[in-house]
Structures are given as C-alpha cells and as structure tokens.
Short mmCIF file of all heavy atoms in Angstrom, two decimals:
data_model
loop_
_atom_site.label_atom_id
_atom_site.label_comp_id
_atom_site.label_asym_id
_atom_site.label_seq_id
_atom_site.Cartn_x
_atom_site.Cartn_y
_atom_site.Cartn_z
N ASP F 123 0.11 19.38 20.83
CA ASP F 123 1.18 18.58 20.63
C ASP F 123 0.95 17.08 20.91
O ASP F 123 1.43 16.22 20.30
CB ASP F 123 2.40 19.09 21.35
CG ASP F 123 2.88 20.43 20.93
OD1 ASP F 123 2.53 20.78 19.78
OD2 ASP F 123 3.63 21.06 21.60
N ALA F 124 0.11 16.86 21.96
CA ALA F 124 -0.14 15.48 22.35
C ALA F 124 -0.80 14.56 21.21
O ALA F 124 -0.29 13.52 20.93
CB ALA F 124 -1.02 15.45 23.58
N LEU F 125 -1.75 15.20 20.67
CA LEU F 125 -2.46 14.48 19.54
C LEU F 125 -1.44 14.42 18.35
O LEU F 125 -1.46 13.30 17.65
CB LEU F 125 -3.71 15.20 19.03
CG LEU F 125 -4.51 14.38 18.06
CD1 LEU F 125 -4.96 13.05 18.54
CD2 LEU F 125 -5.79 15.13 17.59
N ASP F 126 -0.74 15.35 18.04
CA ASP F 126 0.25 15.34 16.94
C ASP F 126 1.19 14.19 17.13
O ASP F 126 1.52 13.56 16.15
CB ASP F 126 0.91 16.64 16.78
CG ASP F 126 0.04 17.77 16.17
OD1 ASP F 126 -0.97 17.45 15.64
OD2 ASP F 126 0.41 18.90 16.41
N ARG F 127 1.72 14.02 18.34
CA ARG F 127 2.60 12.86 18.59
C ARG F 127 1.90 11.59 18.40
O ARG F 127 2.52 10.61 17.92
CB ARG F 127 3.13 13.03 19.98
CG ARG F 127 4.22 14.08 20.22
CD ARG F 127 4.87 13.99 21.49
NE ARG F 127 4.01 14.17 22.70
CZ ARG F 127 3.74 15.17 23.36
NH1 ARG F 127 4.29 16.31 22.84
NH2 ARG F 127 3.04 15.23 24.31
N ILE F 128 0.65 11.45 18.88
CA ILE F 128 -0.08 10.26 18.84
C ILE F 128 -0.28 9.91 17.32
O ILE F 128 -0.11 8.77 16.81
CB ILE F 128 -1.45 10.32 19.50
CG1 ILE F 128 -1.19 10.33 20.97
CG2 ILE F 128 -2.35 9.11 19.14
CD1 ILE F 128 -2.50 10.61 21.84
N TRP F 129 -0.71 10.94 16.55
CA TRP F 129 -0.96 10.77 15.16
C TRP F 129 0.28 10.32 14.40
O TRP F 129 0.24 9.47 13.57
CB TRP F 129 -1.54 12.06 14.52
CG TRP F 129 -1.70 11.99 13.09
CD1 TRP F 129 -0.78 12.33 12.12
CD2 TRP F 129 -2.85 11.44 12.39
NE1 TRP F 129 -1.27 12.11 10.86
CE2 TRP F 129 -2.58 11.49 11.01
CE3 TRP F 129 -4.05 10.91 12.79
CZ2 TRP F 129 -3.48 11.14 10.02
CZ3 TRP F 129 -4.93 10.49 11.87
CH2 TRP F 129 -4.63 10.53 10.46
N GLN F 130 1.45 10.98 14.70
CA GLN F 130 2.72 10.59 13.96
C GLN F 130 3.08 9.19 14.26
O GLN F 130 3.50 8.45 13.36
CB GLN F 130 3.80 11.59 14.37
CG GLN F 130 5.10 11.35 13.61
CD GLN F 130 4.89 11.54 12.12
OE1 GLN F 130 4.15 12.37 11.61
NE2 GLN F 130 5.74 10.74 11.35
N GLU F 131 2.95 8.76 15.40
CA GLU F 131 3.29 7.36 15.90
C GLU F 131 2.42 6.37 15.13
O GLU F 131 2.91 5.36 14.62
CB GLU F 131 3.29 7.16 17.34
CG GLU F 131 4.29 7.92 18.18
CD GLU F 131 4.02 7.93 19.68
OE1 GLU F 131 2.96 7.32 20.07
OE2 GLU F 131 4.75 8.58 20.44
N GLU F 132 1.09 6.67 15.22
CA GLU F 132 0.17 5.73 14.59
C GLU F 132 0.27 5.73 13.08
O GLU F 132 0.06 4.72 12.44
CB GLU F 132 -1.27 6.01 15.05
CG GLU F 132 -1.57 5.76 16.50
CD GLU F 132 -1.27 4.33 16.85
OE1 GLU F 132 -1.53 3.35 15.97
OE2 GLU F 132 -0.73 4.02 17.93
N TRP F 133 0.67 6.93 12.49
CA TRP F 133 0.74 6.99 11.10
C TRP F 133 1.94 6.15 10.60
O TRP F 133 1.90 5.33 9.68
CB TRP F 133 1.00 8.43 10.66
CG TRP F 133 1.21 8.69 9.16
CD1 TRP F 133 2.40 8.65 8.55
CD2 TRP F 133 0.25 8.76 8.14
NE1 TRP F 133 2.22 8.85 7.16
CE2 TRP F 133 0.92 8.86 6.95
CE3 TRP F 133 -1.17 8.79 8.27
CZ2 TRP F 133 0.15 9.04 5.75
CZ3 TRP F 133 -1.79 9.00 7.01
CH2 TRP F 133 -1.16 9.03 5.75
N GLU F 134 3.03 6.23 11.38
CA GLU F 134 4.22 5.43 10.93
C GLU F 134 3.93 3.99 11.08
O GLU F 134 4.32 3.12 10.23
CB GLU F 134 5.48 5.71 11.80
CG GLU F 134 5.98 7.12 11.72
CD GLU F 134 6.56 7.35 10.23
OE1 GLU F 134 7.14 6.37 9.78
OE2 GLU F 134 6.47 8.43 9.78
N GLN F 135 3.22 3.51 12.12
CA GLN F 135 2.78 2.14 12.28
C GLN F 135 1.92 1.63 11.15
O GLN F 135 1.96 0.53 10.70
CB GLN F 135 2.16 1.93 13.62
CG GLN F 135 1.93 0.48 13.91
CD GLN F 135 3.14 -0.50 13.92
OE1 GLN F 135 4.24 0.02 14.63
NE2 GLN F 135 3.21 -1.48 13.17
N ASN F 136 1.01 2.55 10.77
CA ASN F 136 0.06 2.29 9.76
C ASN F 136 0.79 2.11 8.43
O ASN F 136 0.48 1.28 7.58
CB ASN F 136 -1.04 3.38 9.61
CG ASN F 136 -2.16 2.94 8.68
OD1 ASN F 136 -2.88 2.05 9.07
ND2 ASN F 136 -2.26 3.63 7.48
N LEU F 137 1.90 2.88 8.16
CA LEU F 137 2.64 2.70 6.96
C LEU F 137 3.30 1.34 6.90
O LEU F 137 3.31 0.69 5.83
CB LEU F 137 3.63 3.82 6.93
CG LEU F 137 3.29 5.17 6.39
CD1 LEU F 137 4.53 6.14 6.37
CD2 LEU F 137 2.68 5.19 4.99
N VAL F 138 3.90 0.95 8.07
CA VAL F 138 4.51 -0.34 8.13
C VAL F 138 3.48 -1.43 7.85
O VAL F 138 3.75 -2.37 7.10
CB VAL F 138 5.21 -0.55 9.47
CG1 VAL F 138 5.71 -1.96 9.68
CG2 VAL F 138 6.28 0.44 9.59
N ASN F 139 2.29 -1.40 8.50
CA ASN F 139 1.29 -2.40 8.35
C ASN F 139 0.80 -2.53 6.97
O ASN F 139 0.60 -3.53 6.35
CB ASN F 139 0.15 -2.25 9.31
CG ASN F 139 0.49 -2.36 10.69
OD1 ASN F 139 1.62 -3.02 11.05
ND2 ASN F 139 -0.25 -1.80 11.61
N THR F 140 0.56 -1.38 6.33
CA THR F 140 0.18 -1.27 4.80
C THR F 140 1.13 -1.82 4.00
O THR F 140 0.83 -2.63 3.04
CB THR F 140 -0.20 0.14 4.50
OG1 THR F 140 -1.22 0.63 5.34
CG2 THR F 140 -0.66 0.18 3.06
N ALA F 141 2.46 -1.51 4.20
CA ALA F 141 3.54 -2.06 3.42
C ALA F 141 3.62 -3.61 3.48
O ALA F 141 3.72 -4.32 2.47
CB ALA F 141 4.87 -1.43 3.83
N PHE F 142 3.46 -4.13 4.72
CA PHE F 142 3.50 -5.57 4.86
C PHE F 142 2.29 -6.22 4.05
O PHE F 142 2.43 -7.37 3.56
CB PHE F 142 3.35 -5.96 6.38
CG PHE F 142 4.73 -6.02 6.99
CD1 PHE F 142 5.01 -5.27 8.10
CD2 PHE F 142 5.72 -6.96 6.53
CE1 PHE F 142 6.29 -5.20 8.69
CE2 PHE F 142 6.91 -7.01 7.24
CZ PHE F 142 7.29 -6.23 8.25
N ARG F 143 1.10 -5.60 4.17
CA ARG F 143 -0.01 -6.21 3.38
C ARG F 143 0.22 -6.28 1.86
O ARG F 143 0.00 -7.15 1.27
CB ARG F 143 -1.29 -5.32 3.66
CG ARG F 143 -1.81 -5.57 5.09
CD ARG F 143 -3.32 -5.13 5.17
NE ARG F 143 -3.45 -3.78 4.90
CZ ARG F 143 -3.41 -2.83 5.79
NH1 ARG F 143 -3.12 -3.10 7.07
NH2 ARG F 143 -3.46 -1.55 5.49
N LYS F 144 0.82 -5.14 1.39
CA LYS F 144 1.16 -5.04 0.01
C LYS F 144 2.24 -6.09 -0.38
O LYS F 144 2.23 -6.67 -1.50
CB LYS F 144 1.74 -3.69 -0.34
CG LYS F 144 0.72 -2.53 -0.18
CD LYS F 144 -0.41 -2.63 -1.15
CE LYS F 144 -1.37 -1.39 -1.09
NZ LYS F 144 -2.43 -1.49 -2.10
N MET F 145 3.13 -6.44 0.58
CA MET F 145 4.27 -7.29 0.29
C MET F 145 3.75 -8.78 0.14
O MET F 145 4.48 -9.58 -0.42
CB MET F 145 5.29 -7.14 1.46
CG MET F 145 5.92 -5.93 1.53
SD MET F 145 7.08 -5.65 0.12
CE MET F 145 8.25 -6.89 0.34
N ARG F 146 2.59 -9.03 0.68
CA ARG F 146 2.14 -10.47 0.61
C ARG F 146 1.96 -11.01 -0.81
O ARG F 146 2.12 -12.18 -1.12
CB ARG F 146 0.76 -10.60 1.30
CG ARG F 146 0.91 -10.44 2.81
CD ARG F 146 -0.41 -10.35 3.49
NE ARG F 146 -0.35 -10.05 4.83
CZ ARG F 146 -1.45 -9.57 5.63
NH1 ARG F 146 -2.58 -9.51 5.09
NH2 ARG F 146 -1.23 -9.31 6.90
N ALA F 147 1.73 -10.10 -1.70
CA ALA F 147 1.54 -10.49 -3.10
C ALA F 147 2.84 -10.50 -3.88
O ALA F 147 2.94 -10.95 -5.08
CB ALA F 147 0.61 -9.48 -3.84
N LYS F 148 3.91 -10.14 -3.22
CA LYS F 148 5.23 -10.02 -3.94
C LYS F 148 6.26 -11.01 -3.49
O LYS F 148 7.24 -11.41 -4.20
CB LYS F 148 5.78 -8.61 -3.80
CG LYS F 148 4.95 -7.46 -4.27
CD LYS F 148 5.50 -6.19 -4.13
CE LYS F 148 4.61 -5.05 -4.64
NZ LYS F 148 5.26 -3.71 -4.43
N VAL F 149 6.12 -11.51 -2.16
CA VAL F 149 7.17 -12.44 -1.71
C VAL F 149 6.30 -13.62 -1.01
O VAL F 149 5.11 -13.57 -0.76
CB VAL F 149 8.09 -11.79 -0.71
CG1 VAL F 149 8.89 -10.74 -1.44
CG2 VAL F 149 7.32 -11.26 0.50
N SER F 150 7.03 -14.72 -0.77
CA SER F 150 6.43 -15.79 -0.05
C SER F 150 6.19 -15.53 1.39
O SER F 150 6.79 -14.61 1.97
CB SER F 150 7.32 -17.10 -0.25
OG SER F 150 8.51 -16.87 0.59
N SER F 151 5.23 -16.15 1.92
CA SER F 151 4.92 -15.99 3.37
C SER F 151 6.12 -16.27 4.29
O SER F 151 6.32 -15.72 5.26
CB SER F 151 3.75 -16.91 3.71
OG SER F 151 3.97 -18.27 3.54
N GLN F 152 6.97 -17.30 3.84
CA GLN F 152 8.12 -17.63 4.63
C GLN F 152 9.07 -16.53 4.55
O GLN F 152 9.71 -16.18 5.69
CB GLN F 152 8.73 -18.91 4.19
CG GLN F 152 9.91 -19.37 4.95
CD GLN F 152 10.63 -20.60 4.46
OE1 GLN F 152 11.26 -20.57 3.35
NE2 GLN F 152 10.56 -21.73 5.06
N GLN F 153 9.35 -15.97 3.42
CA GLN F 153 10.27 -14.91 3.34
C GLN F 153 9.85 -13.66 4.11
O GLN F 153 10.67 -12.92 4.80
CB GLN F 153 10.49 -14.49 1.80
CG GLN F 153 11.27 -15.53 1.05
CD GLN F 153 11.44 -15.01 -0.35
OE1 GLN F 153 10.50 -14.51 -0.97
NE2 GLN F 153 12.60 -15.11 -1.01
N LEU F 154 8.50 -13.33 4.12
CA LEU F 154 8.01 -12.21 4.83
C LEU F 154 8.05 -12.51 6.33
O LEU F 154 8.43 -11.53 7.11
CB LEU F 154 6.52 -12.03 4.47
CG LEU F 154 5.88 -10.69 4.87
CD1 LEU F 154 6.64 -9.52 4.21
CD2 LEU F 154 4.43 -10.64 4.43
N LEU F 155 7.85 -13.70 6.79
CA LEU F 155 7.99 -13.98 8.19
C LEU F 155 9.53 -13.86 8.66
O LEU F 155 9.69 -13.41 9.69
CB LEU F 155 7.55 -15.47 8.43
CG LEU F 155 7.57 -15.92 9.89
CD1 LEU F 155 6.85 -15.01 10.77
CD2 LEU F 155 7.04 -17.36 10.01
N ILE F 156 10.38 -14.41 7.83
CA ILE F 156 11.89 -14.19 8.13
C ILE F 156 12.16 -12.75 8.37
O ILE F 156 12.80 -12.30 9.29
CB ILE F 156 12.73 -14.73 6.97
CG1 ILE F 156 12.66 -16.30 7.08
CG2 ILE F 156 14.19 -14.37 7.13
CD1 ILE F 156 13.29 -17.02 5.86
N PHE F 157 11.64 -11.83 7.47
CA PHE F 157 11.99 -10.43 7.49
C PHE F 157 11.32 -9.86 8.76
O PHE F 157 11.94 -9.04 9.46
CB PHE F 157 11.40 -9.83 6.24
CG PHE F 157 11.63 -8.27 6.24
CD1 PHE F 157 12.98 -7.75 6.01
CD2 PHE F 157 10.65 -7.33 6.44
CE1 PHE F 157 13.17 -6.34 6.03
CE2 PHE F 157 10.83 -6.02 6.48
CZ PHE F 157 12.15 -5.54 6.30
N ARG F 158 10.11 -10.22 9.07
CA ARG F 158 9.43 -9.70 10.21
C ARG F 158 10.27 -10.12 11.50
O ARG F 158 10.46 -9.26 12.40
CB ARG F 158 8.02 -10.22 10.41
CG ARG F 158 6.95 -9.53 9.70
CD ARG F 158 5.60 -10.08 9.98
NE ARG F 158 4.45 -9.29 9.42
CZ ARG F 158 3.97 -8.26 9.95
NH1 ARG F 158 4.33 -7.89 11.13
NH2 ARG F 158 2.94 -7.79 9.38
N LEU F 159 10.59 -11.31 11.61
CA LEU F 159 11.28 -11.84 12.76
C LEU F 159 12.71 -11.13 13.00
O LEU F 159 13.04 -10.84 14.03
CB LEU F 159 11.55 -13.42 12.82
CG LEU F 159 10.25 -14.23 12.93
CD1 LEU F 159 10.57 -15.72 12.74
CD2 LEU F 159 9.56 -13.96 14.19
N ALA F 160 13.35 -10.93 11.90
CA ALA F 160 14.66 -10.44 11.89
C ALA F 160 14.71 -8.91 12.13
O ALA F 160 15.71 -8.31 12.74
CB ALA F 160 15.43 -10.78 10.60
N THR F 161 13.63 -8.28 11.68
CA THR F 161 13.70 -6.74 11.73
C THR F 161 12.74 -6.21 12.83
O THR F 161 13.15 -5.46 13.66
CB THR F 161 13.35 -6.16 10.31
OG1 THR F 161 12.11 -6.61 9.87
CG2 THR F 161 14.36 -6.45 9.32
N VAL F 162 11.36 -6.57 12.61
CA VAL F 162 10.49 -6.14 13.58
C VAL F 162 10.67 -6.58 14.96
O VAL F 162 10.70 -5.92 16.00
CB VAL F 162 9.04 -6.37 13.15
CG1 VAL F 162 8.02 -5.87 14.14
CG2 VAL F 162 8.82 -5.81 11.74
N ASN F 163 10.84 -8.01 15.06
CA ASN F 163 11.10 -8.67 16.32
C ASN F 163 12.50 -8.57 16.78
O ASN F 163 12.94 -8.97 17.97
CB ASN F 163 10.62 -10.08 16.30
CG ASN F 163 9.09 -10.21 16.11
OD1 ASN F 163 8.48 -9.22 15.79
ND2 ASN F 163 8.59 -11.43 16.17
N GLU F 164 13.43 -8.18 15.87
CA GLU F 164 14.90 -8.04 16.19
C GLU F 164 15.40 -9.34 16.68
O GLU F 164 16.35 -9.25 17.57
CB GLU F 164 14.99 -6.90 17.08
CG GLU F 164 14.65 -5.56 16.51
CD GLU F 164 14.93 -4.40 17.47
OE1 GLU F 164 15.08 -4.74 18.65
OE2 GLU F 164 14.94 -3.19 17.00
N LEU F 165 15.15 -10.46 16.18
CA LEU F 165 15.70 -11.74 16.57
C LEU F 165 17.11 -11.85 15.83
O LEU F 165 17.20 -11.50 14.75
CB LEU F 165 14.85 -12.91 16.24
CG LEU F 165 13.65 -13.16 17.12
CD1 LEU F 165 12.94 -14.45 16.65
CD2 LEU F 165 14.08 -13.33 18.57
N PRO F 166 18.10 -12.47 16.55
CA PRO F 166 19.35 -12.79 15.82
C PRO F 166 19.11 -13.72 14.63
O PRO F 166 18.15 -14.58 14.69
CB PRO F 166 20.18 -13.48 16.91
CG PRO F 166 19.61 -12.97 18.16
CD PRO F 166 18.09 -12.75 17.93
N LEU F 167 19.83 -13.57 13.58
CA LEU F 167 19.48 -14.38 12.32
C LEU F 167 19.65 -15.84 12.59
O LEU F 167 18.93 -16.59 12.05
CB LEU F 167 20.43 -13.91 11.25
CG LEU F 167 20.33 -12.39 10.77
CD1 LEU F 167 21.15 -12.13 9.48
CD2 LEU F 167 18.88 -12.02 10.58
N SER F 168 20.56 -16.24 13.44
CA SER F 168 20.78 -17.60 13.80
C SER F 168 19.53 -18.12 14.53
O SER F 168 19.14 -19.31 14.17
CB SER F 168 21.98 -17.85 14.68
OG SER F 168 21.84 -17.08 15.86
N GLN F 169 18.84 -17.36 15.37
CA GLN F 169 17.64 -17.80 16.04
C GLN F 169 16.44 -17.95 14.96
O GLN F 169 15.62 -18.78 15.09
CB GLN F 169 17.29 -16.87 17.15
CG GLN F 169 18.23 -17.00 18.38
CD GLN F 169 17.65 -16.15 19.52
OE1 GLN F 169 16.43 -15.90 19.65
NE2 GLN F 169 18.60 -15.72 20.34
N VAL F 170 16.43 -16.95 14.11
CA VAL F 170 15.37 -17.07 13.07
C VAL F 170 15.48 -18.25 12.21
O VAL F 170 14.55 -19.00 11.97
CB VAL F 170 15.54 -15.86 12.14
CG1 VAL F 170 14.45 -15.96 10.97
CG2 VAL F 170 15.26 -14.57 12.84
#
C-alpha cells in the first residue's frame, strides 16, 4: 500500500504538470500565471 499511495500522489501531480506544459501553447504566459497563482497557490484574486 505504501508504494501505491506514493504512486497515486505522484501520478496526480504528473498529470497536473503535464497539463500545464500542454497549456503553454494554448494560452498566454500571463493567463497561465494568473491561473496558477489563483488555483495552485490559492492566492485571493485581489492579491493576484
């Protein structure tokens, strides 16, 4: 179970990282940064 938990956590993070790399060709760097700060970093929108 220990490795299965590690694998699942890293798999989910890898999905997120891969998605962000794919997004670079679809949106501007500023829009992607706004999304990262607001969702991944969970900053209030006013602070972003």
Side-chain angles (χ1 to χ4, degrees):
D123 293 341
L125 183 63
D126 287 341
R127 287 194 297 271
I128 292 172
W129 176 266
Q130 184 60 34
E131 291 170 1
E132 292 301 325
W133 180 266
E134 291 297 323
Q135 186 59 52
N136 192 66
L137 280 181
V138 170
N139 293 340
T140 301
F142 272 120
R143 287 198 299 270
K144 298 289 186 181
M145 293 292 293
R146 292 172 187 165
K148 300 179 180 180
V149 300
S150 69
S151 57
Q152 184 183 65
Q153 288 180 317
L154 196 58
L155 181 57
I156 288 173
F157 180 73
R158 274 186 176 274
L159 292 174
T161 57
V162 178
N163 294 10
E164 298 182 340
L165 285 181
L167 300 189
S168 58
Q169 289 188 27
V170 175

